[in-house]
Amino acid sequence: MARLYICFVLACIAVVPLVTSSGIVVNRLPWKIMTINGFSWANCDAETLPGKINSLTILPDPLIIPGEITVCTILNTTAPVESPAKVSVTAEKQILGEWLKIPCLDNLGSCIYEDFCDVLDVLIPPLLGSHVRSRCTHTGCRATVRLKRFTSDEIMRMLEESDSEHEDEPYVPSDDENYVPQVDVTEEDSDIEQEMVIEHENEYESDESVEDDSVPQSAGDIWTAKDETQWCSNPLPNAQTKSRNVLRQRGGPAAISNLYTAKELFKSIMTPEMCDIILRETNRKAKRVCDAYNNELVQRFPDSSKRPPQKTFKQFTETELHAFLGILIAAGVHRANKENLEEMWNVAALPLIRAAMSRDRFKMILRFIRFDNENTRAERVQTDKAAPIRDIWTMLNSNLERAYKPYHCITVDEQLFPFRGHTKFTQYIPSKPAKYGIKIFWACDSSNAYPLQGQLYTGKPTDGPRQVNIGERTVLDLVSSYKGSGRNVTTDNFFTTMELAKVLNSWNMTLVGTVRKNKRFLPNNMQPAKERPVYSTNFAYNHDATVCSYVPKKNKSVVLLSSMHMTGEVEETLAAKPEIIKYYNITKGGVDVMDKMLGEYTVKRRTSRWTLAFFYNMIDVSGLASYIIYREHNPSFRAKDQRRKFLKDLANQLCMIAIEDRSTYKMIMRNHFLRGAVEMVLGRCIVVASQPAAGPKIPHGSRGPSPIVGSCYVCRDLRRKQRKTRKSCVVCVKPICDEHSVAKPTCITCKENQ
């Protein structure tokens, strides 16, 4: 029993036919569209014949010519096939109601084949330039067919050559005088790699198992690694480009983001949903602290007449949160992120900061900002050490992935965010500049360092066994969204394994990365040796990947693995570096470049809370991502300090609504220095109408209001130490201290009588 699977795609053109002596119909213009309806097929005497067609599908239905036609068929034999198998084929046409036998011309038609394997050579259309590799054994025949692609110019040139060779041949009419489909495979984005397999019994081999696991005779020396992986000294024969090396997706930012401003781009990453979570939990925390303080006052001072004023909390708004983010970004751009808050709100400091928010309000947000519900945190931390930041971190990753698609290569590496405070997963990496911090695994676009996906490393799980193959699992988690895209993944020796390369191959993706020399899948000739000359390279090949060992200096070697490169190409220079190393050097720096750009204009401030420190890093990542998207949409935006200008514009746009609101408050605008800062940012003059002061007139002298000199009368009544003051109540003009006064210098007694 044998089964024949054939499936291929034809891009057909409709033209005027011209028949040559070889029986092949070539064509000429004019072009014309034709539709064919009602395709059907049936087996003739299927019970008596030794073989039958199980299925035959031609898509689309109806057929449109010119266009793309997909033909898939499965043929079964009812008897065992032994090689060599003699096959006799009879082909007939129905003309004017009678069936006429088609003669055998160039092994096409009614022919007799001495060996069934020879049939495979004539099953492929001549214009496909096919490559057939077959092998017959005592159990049957097996063949792999690879279809070759031609451009439209190449097809027309072949048609002209065929026409010139047979100019004197007579014209032989066909059944269809007008239109005959021809092959024109010109789809650049597709990878046509089809196969035709005849197998013994009813076993089926999928398209992913095209490669023969057996080692060909031309493989050269065979090496076996410690884990039984076999390697060859010579490259394996390859008819065409591997399907995993064909890029199937277009990279770049989402098209709609072309219309966004800097603020809108930032808000597409740091979305309003994330801001809602931050505002809700921040207000919850602030209200809880305020209520606890007021309850303590009630307990300490049962007498309301002698009780200090209670605190009232004004909830934070989205406008204030945007102004808070804008101030942080502006401070990072001007390298003021490490300055004291008193200096940031100094008269000589940046006007944008003083105009957007008061210093005390900024301190309140820094104190109360939270990112999760504290009531349920204890339960969630039992299973997730990063529970206090998990919600908005997951949302940020989703937004980063949705806003941008990578180009041909993805770089996977680690980022160590500097932090020396207390966490349950602080990492120590001596090779990093900061040495201590929070480790994040990142997948970035190697061409522009765009952060695609991040994974926070929280160490060993609280419950369960110790993790193994962390690097391999991390890479698969980060790039799983790009299955079947044909992209490459570049990693360092922490992540690269042979199993990872095989899994990515099954995903139609490739892997290029350095390899640790103690890996069991490496052959022995990959190790450094004294007899190996400098700038020499050893290669080893198999069906899944290629490994190379390059000697940059004596007794040293660098080992790389690549499932993209299947040949051992070496540059013609003195260093003689392999193509694998050149490609790795170009694509390895995606995450490192991102980390460097984040540290250049970081918003990070000193804090002992790891959640707030991690939130600073999220702001930096959002700003960098929005900048890269803006630059991709605006190629002309190529100033020397373009990122600095972008971040300054972003900070201004985030703070602008808050500044406009503050400019309408007359009490705030009476401050000369603050009004000047607002006018400088808005670019217009602000006029504040003067209002007469309420209450009794304070006696004036020749030098202005007479100063009040004395001690607070409330403190005297409470029998406390006399507290000297120069302030007085605007109603009774009695001396009052700051503790026993409200917003306006009014004493407690007069305020209760109002």
Side-chain angles (χ1 to χ4, degrees), residues 54 106 122 186 344 378 500 552 566 629 639 642 644 669 737:
N54 279 358
D106 294 339
V122 299
T186 59
M344 290 176 58
L500 177 61
M566 303 307 294
I629 294 175
Q642 52 184 348
R644 179 184 175 88
M669 291 299 101
C737 65

Side-chain angles (χ1 to χ4, degrees), residues 104-118:
C104 181
L105 297 175
D106 294 339
N107 288 329
L108 294 176
S110 301
C111 304
I112 299 176
Y113 306 98
E114 297 298 333
D115 192 347
F116 192 79
C117 289
D118 297 337

Side-chain angles (χ1 to χ4, degrees), residues 390 449 516 527 581 606 621 649 713:
R390 179 64 66 185
R516 293 178 179 175
Q527 304 299 328
I581 292 182
R606 185 175 182 178
V621 170
D649 292 341
Y713 81 98

